[in-house]
Amino acid sequence: KDPRLGSHVTITDTRVTGDLREATVFYTVYGDDEDRASAAAGLESAKGILRSEVGRAAGVKFTPTLTFVADALPENA
């Protein structure tokens, strides 16, 4: 529901450590630098809610911590 995220954020990849303690989420943002900064702030502020949803859906004992990384692949392709 965060307007900073809207429909222009796409999750491109995720990587989870073998012990399921940490997850890195790669994302891209359709727009300019201001949109990218806004989306990064939105993801950071929603990190707790997103982590709760991941834990609920995954059904594992420990919910991984989430780290969001802007994926540079589309810009470099």
Side-chain angles (χ1 to χ4, degrees):
K1 295 181 181 180
D2 192 331
R4 295 176 289 187
L5 301 176
S7 62
H8 37 272
V9 176
T10 303
I11 304 300
T12 57
D13 193 16
T14 56
R15 296 187 184 150
V16 182
T17 58
D19 61 358
L20 302 177
R21 296 280 180 170
E22 298 177 17
T24 305
V25 181
F26 295 90
Y27 68 94
T28 60
V29 179
Y30 179 74
D32 58 10
D33 289 338
E34 184 179 323
D35 292 332
R36 289 184 193 98
S38 178
L43 287 170
E44 285 299 317
S45 72
K47 188 182 282 191
I49 295 168
L50 293 171
R51 186 171 181 233
S52 296
E53 290 298 318
V54 167
R56 186 175 299 125
V60 293
K61 184 176 181 179
F62 183 81
T63 302
T65 57
L66 301 176
T67 304
F68 295 99
V69 177
D71 194 354
L73 182 64
E75 295 169 0
N76 296 331

